[in-house]
Amino acid sequence: MLAMGSEEWELYPSSFIGAQVIDYGHVSGDMDDDQSGDLAVSMDAVLPDDLLEKVLSFLPVASVIRSGSVCKRWHEIVHARRQTWSKMVPQKPWYFMFTCSEEAVSGFTYDPSLRKWYGFDFPCIEKTTWSISSSSGLVCLMDSEDRSRIIVCNPITKDWKRLVDAPGGKSADYSALAISVTRTSHQYMVAVARCNQVPSEYYQWEFTIHLYESEINTWVSPFTELLIGWRGGDECVICDGVLYYLVYSTGVLVNNNEHRHCLLMYDLSTRPTHTSLMSMAIPVPCPLTCGRLMNLNERLVLVGGIGKQDRPGIIKGIGIWELRNKEWHEVARMPHKFFQGFGEFDDVFASCGADDLIYIQSYGSPALLTFELNQKLWKWSLKSPVTKRFPLQLFTGFSFEPRLDIAS
C-alpha cells in the first residue's frame, strides 16, 4: 500500500465547506529607513474580485477547493459565488472506487487531470448495493431496499436532496436509474425503469417508466408495456432526450445467432403512451456480458464483455460500440495486454464514463483502466491506494463530473 505521504496520492477533506480559514492580518512595526521604499505588495491585494475569480476558474477543482483555505477573501469567493464556477474550464470526470461490504461506504476518488487519488467520503450512500447514476455534476442514488427512496447530491459541495417518493412501491424485480441534467438551467430529470414478473407467467414481464422533473417536483408514469419473452434489468441511461434501456431474453436460445440482449428507446420529449418499444428494439452487436450504457457528450456508447461463441457467459475480451442512426458501430476493443493486466479477470466487471472518458474496473481487483474516446487511447490510472485484503474481496465504483456550480 502506498504511504500517506506518497507523491502519488494524497488526502484532502471531502467536505470543503468547513475548511479552515486563515486570516492574514496586516503586518505592523518599525522598518529601517533603508528599506522603507521596498514594501512588498501581494498580487492578491491588488487583484479585484472578478479577476481573482477568473484566475481561479482555470484551476482544477481540487486546487480551487484547497484555495478556499488560504484566507477569508478566497473562502468567500470559493464558497459564496456559485455562478463564478459555471465558467470553469471543463473538468474530466472523477472515479469513486470503494469495496463491496456491509460497512459504511468510503473509498478513494481518482482525478485523471492531476493523476492523483484522494480520500473521499461520499455523501448519502449508505449501502454499496444502491443504484447510481450521474450527470453534469449531480449524482442520483436509489436505495436498494426501498426503491421509492431516491436522493440527488453534489458530491463535491455535499449539497443533497431527497426526492418525493417514487411511484411503484418499495420493491421491484428489476429497477434501473438514470439522471440527466440540463447544463444551462441546472434543471434535471430522473428516470426509473421498473420490471416485474407477471404472477404465474414466467415469460411475461410488466415494464413501467417513471419520470421526475426537478422544475415541478413531481413524478409521472407515462408508459407501461407487457414484455413477452423479455425482461428488464438494471441498466438504463438518458442521452440526447431519449431513455435507453437494456432488456434480456428469458427463453432458451434456439441457436447461437439469436440475440440475448436488446435496446429499448423511449423519446422523453414526445412521451408516447400507445406504442410498443419492443417492436422497435435494437439488438446488441454481439453476445455480451456486463453491458453498460453511457452518455458521452450526447453520444450513446455501449461497453460490454464479448462472449465466446459457444459459451456466451465467458468473455474473451471487452468491446466499445457507439449507436449512430440506430446502428451499432465498433469503436475499439481492449488490447490483450490490458485485458491480461487485470490478472484473474472474472466474467463480471464495472464500467462507466462521461465526457469522452470511459473507466473499466474488474470487480475482483482495484486496478483501474481508462479509455479516451476521441483519441482512442488506453491508459492505466496511477496505482490505487485501495488494497485487496482477502481473496474474495470485491471492488466497484462509478464516475461523476466534479462541479462547484450546481445544486440538487
Side-chain angles (χ1 to χ4, degrees), residues 16-24 66-76 79:
F16 75 92
I17 298 298
Q20 179 184 4
V21 180
I22 304 172
D23 187 8
Y24 292 102
R66 294 190 189 95
S67 71
S69 300
V70 170
C71 61
K72 285 186 176 180
R73 181 189 178 205
W74 286 35
H75 183 272
E76 291 174 358
H79 300 289

Side-chain angles (χ1 to χ4, degrees), residues 124-363:
C124 307
I125 305 181
E126 299 172 8
K127 296 288 183 66
T128 60
T129 54
W130 281 23
S131 299
I132 300 168
S133 177
S134 68
S135 173
S136 300
L138 293 183
V139 176
C140 190
L141 313 160
M142 180 166 60
D143 190 336
S144 57
E145 297 177 357
D146 181 359
R147 297 290 181 176
S148 66
R149 183 185 177 208
I150 296 177
I151 296 171
V152 175
C153 73
N154 181 330
I156 298 298
T157 65
K158 300 298 186 272
D159 171 80
W160 65 276
K161 170 185 177 181
R162 178 176 174 178
L163 306 185
V164 294
D165 286 356
K170 295 184 177 182
S171 62
D173 292 329
Y174 295 96
S175 294
L177 177 71
I179 183 173
S180 177
V181 179
T182 304
R183 286 186 174 270
T184 52
S185 67
H186 293 177
Q187 299 295 335
Y188 57 87
M189 175 180 290
V190 175
V192 174
R194 293 173 177 260
C195 201
N196 289 295
Q197 187 177 15
V198 177
S200 304
E201 296 290 344
Y202 177 75
Y203 291 103
Q204 296 184 15
W205 295 77
E206 186 180 61
F207 166 55
T208 305
I209 296 174
H210 306 289
L211 301 175
Y212 172 88
E213 295 182 71
S214 62
E215 191 171 7
I216 58 177
N217 192 32
T218 302
W219 287 94
V220 294
S221 303
F223 186 82
T224 298
E225 180 175 356
L226 184 66
L227 306 181
I228 299 177
W230 296 86
R231 67 160 179 82
D234 59 359
E235 187 63 24
C236 72
V237 70
I238 298 173
C239 182
D240 198 22
V242 177
L243 174 67
Y244 294 93
Y245 183 57
L246 278 181
V247 294
Y248 308 82
S249 172
T250 61
V252 178
L253 295 181
V254 177
N255 56 63
N256 290 333
N257 294 324
E258 185 174 339
H259 297 292
R260 302 173 69 239
H261 308 81
C262 279
L263 183 70
L264 302 187
M265 302 175 294
Y266 183 74
D267 192 323
L268 296 172
S269 58
T270 60
R271 299 187 186 181
T273 56
H274 303 291
T275 188
S276 171
L277 300 186
M278 199 66 230
S279 66
M280 299 178 289
I282 300 173
V284 298
C286 64
L288 293 180
T289 183
C290 293
R292 295 290 181 265
L293 300 171
M294 304 171 196
N295 179 348
L296 302 188
N297 290 326
E298 304 305 331
R299 299 160 65 184
L300 182 70
V301 172
L302 169 66
V303 177
I306 303 172
K308 294 183 177 181
Q309 196 67 22
D310 55 338
R311 303 174 65 188
I314 305 299
I315 64 174
K316 61 181 181 181
I318 294 177
I320 300 173
W321 297 265
E322 180 183 351
L323 188 69
R324 303 180 207 142
N325 298 322
K326 300 184 179 180
E327 292 185 358
W328 293 108
H329 297 264
E330 185 170 313
V331 176
R333 292 200 183 193
M334 182 186 294
H336 191 62
K337 65 178 182 178
F338 291 108
F339 189 74
Q340 288 183 315
F342 282 103
E344 296 182 3
F345 201 94
D346 298 325
D347 59 351
V348 291
F349 62 93
S351 63
C352 57
D355 194 19
D356 74 332
L357 192 63
I358 295 174
Y359 290 101
I360 298 176
Q361 177 194 357
S362 168
Y363 285 128

